[in-house]
Amino acid sequence: MDTRFSSAIHTLILIAAADHPMTSEEIAVSVGTNPSYIRKITGLLRKKEIITSRQGARGFALTVTPEELSLYDIYQAIYESEEVHIFDVHQNPSDECIVGRHIRPVLTDIFRQIEEQAKQELKSQTLQGCMDSMRKLIDKEDAS
Amino acid sequence: MDTRFSSAIHTLILIAAADHPMTSEEIAVSVGTNPSYIRKITGLLRKKEIITSRQGARGFALTVTPEELSLYDIYQAIYESEEVHIFDVHQNPSDECIVGRHIRPVLTDIFRQIEEQAKQELKSQTLQGCMDSMRKLIDKEDAS
C-alpha cells in the first residue's frame, strides 16, 4: 500500500480549509498517521513550492489557490516524477529470445498510453474539486 | 516492482507464438526469472481458463485466439480482481475531523474514474495487438 498521494491530498485540504495554520502534529491526527510521515510529505510539497512555512510562525500555507492546484501537481511533488507510473515491466528478459528481446518496448509503449491518460485525468482534477465534492457529502449528511 | 502482469503478457506471447508447447522452464529463460515464478503465473492463467495444459503432454496452449484475449482478461487473471487498482487511499483517517471523516469516499471516487479509464484501455488492447507491435519492431530491425 502506497498512500502517500492520498495522504498528501488530505494534508492539502486541511491546509487550505483550516481557519488557522495547521501543524504536522494536527495534520497527522486527522490523516491517522505520525507527524514524521506528514513531515516527509510536507517536505516534498515545500520542495515543489506548493506550500510554504512562514519563518518564525508554526504551520503551513498554500502558495497557490486550490483552483490552481491540480492533482497532477501534487502527484509530481510526492513522487518527484513528471510521469505517472502505473505498471512495471520486467527487467531482465532474455536477449537470446526474439520475444525477450522486443517485449520491453512493446509493453512500455502500451503502458505509457494508459499512464498518459491517467496523467491527463489528474491534470483535470483540482484540490478545489476535491473540496467541493467533500462539501457536497457534508451537506448531504447534514440534510439527512 | 510488481512485474507479474508484464511477465504474464510475455508468457502468453511465447505460448501463442511458439512452434511447440512451451514449458515453464523454457518460458522462465525468456522472461528472465525462475520456473516457480512462471508456474504461479501459469497457475493463475489456467484458473481463469486462458491457457490449458494437456493431460500427459508437456507445455501449455491458449484456449482462445490472441485476437480474443484482451490485456484486461490477463490483468483480471493475474490480480484475481475485476477492478484495475492504481491508487491506494489511506486507511485510518480520523472520524473526529470533518475532513478525515469524508476524505475516503471523495478520493475513492476520483481514483475510480482513473482506474475505470485504465480498465477500458486494457479492454481495448489484445494479445494479438502486442504480437503485431512486436512483429513491426522485428521487421524494422531486420530492414536496418
Side-chain angles (χ1 to χ4, degrees):
Chain A
M1 289 258 295
D2 175 359
T3 59
R4 286 171 292 174
F5 184 43
S6 75
S7 300
I9 299 170
H10 186 150
T11 296
L12 287 163
I13 293 176
L14 290 173
I15 292 172
D19 53 7
H20 66 282
M22 298 281 287
T23 64
S24 308
E25 289 75 14
E26 291 171 303
I27 295 167
V29 170
S30 176
V31 174
T33 184
N34 54 67
S36 77
Y37 183 81
I38 296 299
R39 277 193 286 272
K40 272 183 211 144
I41 287 173
T42 54
L44 291 162
L45 296 171
R46 282 172 62 181
K47 192 169 164 194
K48 197 78 184 169
E49 299 181 349
I50 290 173
I51 58 172
T52 181
S53 57
R54 282 149 309 174
Q55 221 175 354
R58 281 165 62 82
F60 305 101
L62 286 184
T63 61
V64 289
T65 66
E67 288 85 359
E68 290 166 321
L69 187 60
S70 76
L71 298 194
Y72 176 63
D73 296 327
I74 303 168
Y75 185 98
Q76 270 189 299
I78 293 303
Y79 295 109
E80 299 186 272
S81 167
E82 291 189 10
E83 298 313 318
V84 173
H85 178 78
I86 300 177
F87 297 112
D88 296 306
V89 179
H90 50 299
Q91 294 286 318
N92 302 308
S94 169
D95 273 347
E96 306 287 308
C97 162
I98 196 158
V99 175
R101 204 153 61 236
H102 297 90
I103 189 78
R104 285 181 49 86
V106 168
L107 293 185
T108 300
D109 195 45
I110 292 170
F111 292 167
R112 268 209 199 119
Q113 289 175 41
I114 297 175
E115 290 165 344
E116 185 59 31
Q117 276 189 347
K119 188 202 277 193
Q120 294 309 321
E121 186 62 27
L122 289 175
K123 278 189 182 178
S124 76
Q125 303 270 355
T126 65
L127 191 67
Q128 186 63 51
C130 295
M131 293 166 72
D132 292 344
S133 301
M134 190 172 284
R135 170 53 54 198
K136 272 187 208 154
L137 270 186
I138 295 167
D139 288 349
K140 205 189 278 180
E141 197 182 70
D142 286 349
S144 67
Chain B
M1 289 260 292
D2 175 0
T3 60
R4 284 172 292 174
F5 184 44
S6 76
S7 299
I9 299 170
H10 186 150
T11 296
L12 287 164
I13 293 176
L14 290 172
I15 292 172
D19 53 7
H20 66 281
M22 298 280 288
T23 64
S24 307
E25 289 74 15
E26 291 171 303
I27 296 167
V29 170
S30 175
V31 174
T33 185
N34 54 67
S36 76
Y37 184 80
I38 295 300
R39 277 192 287 271
K40 272 183 211 146
I41 287 174
T42 52
L44 291 163
L45 296 171
R46 281 171 62 181
K47 194 170 162 192
K48 197 78 183 169
E49 300 182 351
I50 290 173
I51 59 172
T52 181
S53 58
R54 282 150 308 176
Q55 221 175 354
R58 279 165 63 81
F60 304 100
L62 286 183
T63 60
V64 289
T65 66
E67 289 85 359
E68 290 167 320
L69 186 59
S70 76
L71 298 195
Y72 175 62
D73 296 328
I74 303 167
Y75 185 99
Q76 270 188 301
I78 294 303
Y79 295 109
E80 300 185 272
S81 166
E82 291 189 10
E83 299 313 317
V84 173
H85 178 78
I86 300 177
F87 298 111
D88 296 307
V89 179
H90 50 298
Q91 295 284 320
N92 301 307
S94 169
D95 274 347
E96 307 285 307
C97 162
I98 195 158
V99 175
R101 203 154 58 235
H102 297 91
I103 189 77
R104 286 180 50 85
V106 167
L107 292 185
T108 300
D109 195 45
I110 294 170
F111 293 167
R112 265 206 202 126
Q113 287 175 41
I114 297 175
E115 290 166 343
E116 184 59 33
Q117 277 190 345
K119 188 202 276 193
Q120 293 309 321
E121 187 63 26
L122 289 175
K123 278 189 182 178
S124 77
Q125 304 270 354
T126 65
L127 191 68
Q128 186 63 50
C130 295
M131 293 167 72
D132 292 344
S133 302
M134 189 171 284
R135 170 53 53 198
K136 273 187 208 155
L137 271 184
I138 294 167
D139 288 347
K140 206 190 278 181
E141 196 182 70
D142 286 349
S144 67

